[in-house]
């Protein structure tokens, strides 16, 4: 597996080499390396949520989109944290002495929004419209932005601990395919949706107290379309898709699920004619 964090270190080091030059033309290479470092750090963070990250989203490469997915999974995904531990004098009582393990600074969404696209604007040839308007790159402003980002990423990579994720989790082997499902249970939220990344089966997960969770299969009652039969089946909601179907075990008929648009013409009613109007 790719070591994204060390990739980010190398990309940041190359960016700093470019920034050390007084040549304005080399700033764009610094910008490119800084963007790549931001990408690498975001992908590294995503790996910490691998069991919760939808595989269909693995091809997403823009840091903003990746971080948005992570924040849907965990609202604290872009927050820094400190780890401390101690021995409780008794269950539930805060220890009198706490030992620090380290602090993590995370590349957050605010920084990605502020800088990532802005850096990209320096990596393109000015448009014809921009040339006509006399737009020029402000080298001093460009360098100041790059220096600010480099300093921030240096702090992120200097974290003594990283990719710490904590939470309450519910787990289950999928009732449909047996693939393990792991779902984060946000504090104060009693019901969450869970999905098997292997077969697409969905569940409603509820807090059952005492450290337990209940997975309710998200199944739908569907009746045979034969008016003389109407036998019900209970497929997974994810199986209700156009051009699928089933054979009724009672009447033997084939049922097809179709996506349809049915047109109903509008009937125009002419207003009654007043007396004296021409026929």
């Amino acid at each position: 597996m790719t070591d994204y964090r060390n990739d980010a270190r190398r990309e940041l080091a190359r960016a700093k080499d470019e920034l050390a030059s007084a040549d304005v033309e080399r700033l764009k290479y610094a910008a490119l390396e800084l963007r790549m470092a931001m990408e690498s750090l975001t992908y590294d963070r995503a790996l910490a949520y691998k069991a919760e990250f939808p595989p269909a989203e693995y091809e997403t490469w823009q840091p903003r989109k990746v971080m948005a997915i992570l924040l849907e999974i965990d609202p604290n995904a872009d927050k820094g944290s400190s780890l401390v531990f101690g021995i409780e004098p008794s269950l539930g009582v805060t220890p009198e002495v706490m030992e620090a393990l380290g602090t993590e600074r995370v590349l957050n969404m605010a920084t990605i929004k502020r800088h990532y696209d802005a850096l990209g604007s320096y990596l393109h040839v000015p448009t014809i419209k921009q040339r006509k308007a006399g737009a020029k790159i402000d080298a001093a402003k460009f360098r100041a932005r790059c220096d600010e980002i480099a300093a921030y990423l240096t702090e992120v990579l200097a974290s003594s601990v990283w990719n710490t994720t904590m939470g309450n989790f519910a787990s289950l082997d999928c009732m449909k395919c047996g693939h393990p499902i792991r779902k984060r249970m946000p504090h104060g939220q009693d019901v969450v949706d869970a999905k098997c990344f292997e077969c697409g089966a969905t569940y409603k997960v509820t807090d059952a107290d005492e450290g337990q969770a209940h997975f309710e299969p998200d199944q739908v009652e569907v009746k045979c379309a034969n008016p003389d039969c109407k036998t019900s089946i209970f497929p997974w909601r994810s199986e209700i898709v156009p051009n699928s179907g089933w054979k009724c075990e009672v009447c033997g008929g084939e049922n097809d699920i179709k996506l349809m648009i049915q047109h109903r013409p509008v009937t125009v009613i002419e207003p009654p004619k007043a007396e004296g109007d021409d026929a």
Side-chain angles (χ1 to χ4, degrees):
M1 184 175 292
T2 301
D3 187 346
Y4 285 116
R5 197 167 189 87
N6 277 328
D7 284 351
R9 289 191 175 96
R10 288 187 285 269
E11 288 150 0
L12 177 59
R14 290 194 292 267
K16 288 182 177 179
D17 286 343
E18 299 297 339
L19 289 171
S21 171
D23 186 353
V24 174
E25 290 299 319
R26 293 182 63 178
L27 287 176
K28 58 189 174 185
Y29 301 109
L32 176 61
E33 294 290 355
L34 289 173
R35 274 170 60 96
M36 294 179 70
M38 294 172 77
E39 291 168 4
S40 293
L41 282 170
T42 307
Y43 305 153
D44 184 59
R45 188 65 173 162
L47 289 177
Y49 293 85
K50 184 178 179 181
E52 305 168 76
F53 200 90
E57 304 291 351
Y58 284 165
E59 295 182 0
T60 299
W61 61 268
Q62 298 95 330
R64 185 185 298 200
K65 291 184 178 180
V66 174
M67 186 57 70
I69 295 169
L70 294 181
L71 289 173
E72 287 182 8
I73 296 171
D74 177 10
N76 295 314
D78 72 338
K79 304 294 189 299
S81 61
S82 296
L83 290 180
V84 296
F85 75 98
I87 300 176
E88 295 179 340
S90 59
L91 185 63
V93 177
T94 302
E96 295 180 1
V97 179
M98 302 289 283
E99 297 290 338
L101 290 178
T103 298
E104 175 182 21
R105 187 166 189 183
V106 178
L107 174 60
N108 58 41
M109 178 65 99
T111 301
I112 293 172
K113 286 183 176 180
R114 181 183 175 193
H115 292 302
Y116 184 77
D117 288 339
L119 285 177
S121 67
Y122 294 113
L123 302 179
H124 300 283
V125 173
T127 64
I128 296 175
K129 181 179 179 180
Q130 289 172 330
R131 294 250 192 217
K132 287 183 176 180
K136 293 182 180 180
I137 293 177
D138 186 331
K141 184 178 179 180
F142 186 4
R143 182 179 293 277
R145 182 186 290 273
C146 289
D147 285 338
E148 180 183 348
I149 298 169
Y152 180 86
L153 296 182
T154 298
E155 292 183 13
V156 171
L157 288 167
S159 299
S160 52
V161 294
W162 57 87
N163 285 343
T164 54
T165 61
M166 295 185 180
N168 295 320
F169 296 89
S171 59
L172 174 80
D173 287 342
C174 180
M175 299 176 189
K176 183 180 178 184
C177 71
H179 187 78
I181 299 173
R182 186 168 181 259
K183 183 64 180 181
R184 184 182 297 267
M185 300 293 291
H187 179 70
Q189 191 170 339
D190 296 330
V191 182
V192 296
D193 295 320
K195 181 178 182 179
C196 176
F197 295 149
E198 185 69 20
C199 69
T202 52
Y203 300 82
K204 293 290 184 182
V205 188
T206 55
D207 185 351
D209 296 326
E210 299 183 357
Q212 301 296 312
H214 175 69
F215 281 74
E216 181 69 27
D218 187 13
Q219 294 173 302
V220 182
E221 181 180 9
V222 181
K223 295 182 181 296
C224 176
N226 180 352
D228 297 323
C229 178
K230 296 295 185 181
T231 301
S232 292
I233 64 169
F234 296 87
W236 296 86
R237 187 179 299 274
S238 58
E239 295 175 330
I240 309 300
V241 293
N243 301 319
S244 63
W246 78 99
K247 182 176 181 179
C248 180
E249 295 182 355
V250 176
C251 71
E254 298 284 348
N255 291 279
D256 296 323
I257 298 174
K258 299 291 185 181
L259 178 64
M260 298 178 62
I261 297 177
Q262 185 175 10
H263 175 72
R264 294 187 301 274
V266 176
T267 301
V268 178
I269 300 176
E270 295 288 343
K273 295 182 177 181
E275 292 184 7
D277 287 350
D278 294 333

